Amino acid sequence: MSKTIQKIGVLTSGGDAPGMNAAIRSVVRTCAYHNIECVGIYRGYEGMIEGDFKILDARSVNYIINKGGTFLKSARSDEFRTKAGRKKAHEQLQKFGIDALVLIGGDGTFTGGMIFNEEFDFPIIGIPGTIDNDIVGTNFTLGYDTALNTAVEAIDKIRDTASSHKRLFFVEVMGRDVGHIALNAGVGSGAEEILVPEEDLGLDRLLESLERSKNSGKSSSIVVVAEGDKTGKNVFELRDYVEENLEGYDVRVSVLGHMQRGGAPSCFDRVLASRMGVKAVESLIKGKKNVMVGTINNKLELYPIDKAVKGHSKIDEELLRVSDIMST
Ligand code: F6P
C-alpha cells in the first residue's frame, strides 16, 4: 500500500514552453481542491538542491494561465546529474516534508526524475512540456501548438516581403533532433521545401525543387529548415550553396530562434495543461508513480516514464508527402 500523499512539489525544468504556467496553476489548484499542500520548487532541479521552495495556494497562481515562460523559472542543472547533487535534493525534499513530485519538462527533465526515483524510490509524475513535441507516449507536448502558431505567423510575414522582392528565404525554426515544428509550420505556411533532422532529403533535390519553382512562375520561395536538419548545412551555408549552384535567386536568411519559445499559450495549450495538471495530481493521489501524463487521441493516458525517455518520436511521413504535393 503506498504512502498517503500530503505534500506535492512541482517544478519546471529544461527549455521553457508556453503552457507551463497553466500546468503549474492546474497542479496547484488540484492540490488545493483535494486539501493537499503544494510546494513550488524554483529553478528546476537546481532549486531542489538548494531548497528554493515556496508553499503555493490556489491564489498564488492567479492570472498566470495566459502567461508565457514559467513563473517557477527553469534551469538545466549539472549538479543534479551527479549522485551527490541528487542526494542533496532528496535531503531538501525530506526536510520540507514533500512526498511526491510533479515534473514539467522534456526528455532531460524526465531522465533526471527517473534516476532520482531509482535511487530514492521517490514518487514522480511527468507532464510533457517542450515546444519540440519530441516525447513518446503523447501526441502533443505543452507549448508545441503555441510555438507552431508563432512560427507560422512569422513565416507569413516573411512571405510578404519575399514575394514583394521575388526572393528565396531560408527560415530556420527550432528542433535540434526532431522536425515536427519545421514540417508542420512549413506545411501551414505553404513552404516550397522543408528540411528536417530525421531524413536527408538531399541537396540535389533541393536545387531541383527550387529550379522547378522558379520555372513555374512563383514569385517567392520559402525553405523551412529545422535547426538540426540532416543535410548537415546550417541556413547560412545553405544560402551560400544555393547562390553558388543556382542562378537567378536573391537569397535571404531568417533565424526565428527563441521567439518560438515565448508568448501567450494558445487555447489548445492552456486546456491541455489544465487537464494534464489535474490528471497528474489525481494519479499521484491514487498511488500511481513513475509515469508521464500523455494525450493519445485526445484522451489522457499514463505512460511509463522510462519508455517516454528512451523512445524516439517519428516524423509524419504522410505529412512529408503532403508537403511535396503542395509545393507543385
Ligand atoms: O528543447 C527545446 C528547445 O527550444 C529546442 O528546440 C532548441 O534546440 C533548444 O531548446 C535550445 O536550447 P537553449 O535554451 O539552450 O538555447
Side-chain angles (χ1 to χ4, degrees):
M1 176 88 184
S2 46
K3 188 176 162 228
T4 322
I5 304 284
Q6 285 167 340
K7 213 184 233 188
I8 290 178
V10 56
L11 62 78
T12 48
S13 164
D16 61 293
M20 281 185 164
N21 276 325
I24 300 164
R25 170 181 179 268
S26 171
V27 169
V28 172
R29 294 214 169 145
T30 310
C31 283
Y33 181 83
H34 288 287
N35 290 317
I36 288 174
E37 254 192 304
C38 188
V39 180
I41 300 172
Y42 285 76
R43 296 177 294 117
Y45 292 125
E46 204 67 30
M48 198 158 120
I49 292 169
E50 291 169 23
D52 195 357
F53 301 157
K54 194 175 159 202
I55 301 277
L56 301 175
D57 63 23
R59 295 286 72 76
S60 318
V61 287
N62 286 347
Y63 314 120
I64 64 165
I65 191 170
N66 57 341
K67 300 277 192 296
T70 158
F71 93 98
L72 286 179
K73 314 292 178 199
S74 191
R76 291 188 165 113
S77 170
D78 286 334
E79 202 181 348
F80 196 74
R81 289 178 212 275
T82 68
K83 199 161 183 177
R86 292 191 293 273
K87 189 164 172 283
K88 272 197 229 166
H90 185 243
E91 282 161 9
Q92 296 285 11
L93 294 180
Q94 282 190 313
K95 212 160 88 190
F96 225 74
I98 296 171
D99 309 305
L101 288 172
V102 176
L103 310 172
I104 307 169
D107 202 34
T109 308
F110 295 165
T111 304
M114 202 177 73
I115 298 171
F116 190 69
N117 169 265
E118 277 163 15
E119 287 174 351
F120 301 102
D121 190 23
F122 200 91
I124 55 151
I125 196 156
I127 293 182
T130 162
I131 64 163
D132 293 344
N133 205 34
D134 59 347
I135 306 281
V136 179
T138 188
N139 296 143
F140 296 103
T141 57
L142 297 180
Y144 172 59
D145 180 66
T146 307
L148 273 185
N149 285 302
T150 302
V152 164
E153 197 185 326
I155 300 169
D156 283 350
K157 289 177 179 164
I158 291 169
R159 176 71 81 179
D160 289 345
T161 172
S163 60
S164 303
H165 290 269
K166 223 175 171 200
R167 277 177 173 157
L168 159 64
F169 267 82
F170 283 100
V171 181
E172 185 190 280
V173 296
M174 275 189 164
R176 226 173 354 211
D177 306 311
V178 291
H180 300 303
I181 295 183
L183 181 55
N184 285 272
V187 170
S189 60
E192 277 60 35
E193 276 298 324
I194 301 167
L195 302 180
V196 293
E198 291 87 343
E199 275 180 38
D200 187 352
L201 300 176
L203 291 170
D204 292 343
R205 209 193 88 116
L206 175 68
L207 293 183
E208 272 167 35
S209 157
L210 290 174
E211 189 69 49
R212 228 183 314 123
S213 282
K214 198 173 61 184
N215 296 337
S216 74
K218 286 197 179 181
S219 65
S220 66
S221 290
I222 299 225
V223 179
V224 175
V225 185
E227 253 178 313
D229 101 87
K230 251 259 168 59
T231 61
K233 287 191 189 296
N234 67 36
V235 271
F236 299 98
E237 292 163 342
L238 284 168
R239 174 200 57 199
D240 295 346
Y241 181 80
V242 167
E243 280 181 340
E244 276 159 27
N245 291 284
L246 259 190
E247 279 188 3
Y249 263 117
D250 187 12
V251 193
R252 294 290 186 276
V253 168
S254 189
V255 177
L256 300 190
H258 287 77
M259 67 174 288
Q260 293 159 96
R261 285 232 298 251
S266 64
C267 183
F268 179 88
D269 278 328
R270 297 180 200 193
V271 173
L272 184 61
S274 304
R275 293 174 65 208
M276 285 182 163
V278 172
K279 181 81 174 177
V281 172
E282 295 192 336
S283 299
L284 280 174
I285 294 172
K286 286 183 191 142
K288 307 273 185 220
K289 52 187 175 178
N290 309 327
V291 286
M292 176 196 80
V293 179
T295 173
I296 304 286
N297 299 329
N298 200 29
K299 212 174 156 290
L300 294 186
E301 310 268 2
L302 297 179
Y303 192 76
I305 209 144
D306 55 332
K307 286 200 187 143
V309 165
K310 287 184 190 130
H312 292 285
S313 68
K314 297 205 171 53
I315 199 77
D316 184 341
E317 294 290 341
E318 188 225 327
L319 196 52
L320 267 179
R321 199 171 156 264
V322 168
S323 135
D324 259 2
I325 297 173
M326 289 305 110
S327 65
T328 303

